[in-house]
Amino acid sequence: SSKIPLIMALSLNTVQDRANKIVGAWKKSAATKSFGDLTVVQYEALRTAVSTADDALTTADAARTEARNLLDTALKTLHTASNDVVDGVRGDKSVGGSNGSLYEEMGYVPKDERNSGLTRKGKKPSSDPKA
């Protein structure tokens, strides 16, 4: 597990650029030789695996972005529909409107049960001795 931070710190482009240079030089000057227990073909397969994984990640990122956009659109649509439904219930006197039990069951406080919202601030005793 001590190698994970090192791998995470590696730049994809830097590692790929380095691998491309290695393959080019290897094929040009020593194509039949093995180094580090690998042939140039085996090394190229490792390089290809990185590209394949990067492509898969790019595709997954695009799919996640698309899913996020679909979710955002669906949430906005549901929110608007919810407001329209509640507005419809408020305006429908046959179900009690904004004082009906349906409105209350939907999680709203019936109009007649709401506080007015009016508050009156009490007079503070004056700290001025002249007052």
Side-chain angles (χ1 to χ4, degrees), residues 34-127:
S34 293
F35 300 102
D37 294 330
L38 294 171
T39 66
V40 71
V41 172
Q42 291 169 321
Y43 184 79
E44 284 182 302
L46 297 174
R47 182 181 64 168
T48 301
V50 169
S51 294
T52 301
D54 184 45
D55 291 346
L57 185 58
T58 299
T59 300
D61 285 344
R64 186 182 193 296
T65 298
E66 183 178 348
R68 172 57 64 192
N69 291 339
L70 288 171
L71 175 60
D72 289 347
T73 300
L75 280 171
K76 288 175 187 173
T77 302
L78 178 60
H79 178 69
T80 300
S82 295
N83 288 338
D84 291 347
V85 167
V86 171
D87 286 346
V89 169
R90 264 193 219 117
D92 191 334
K93 300 301 179 196
S94 71
V95 294
S98 59
N99 284 314
S101 60
L102 177 59
Y103 185 71
E104 187 173 9
E105 288 172 18
M106 289 181 169
Y108 295 89
V109 177
K111 187 174 182 180
D112 289 346
E113 294 178 22
R114 288 187 211 139
N115 293 329
S116 70
L118 177 65
T119 60
R120 298 188 188 271
K121 295 184 180 185
K123 288 188 176 183
K124 293 182 181 178
S126 177
S127 61

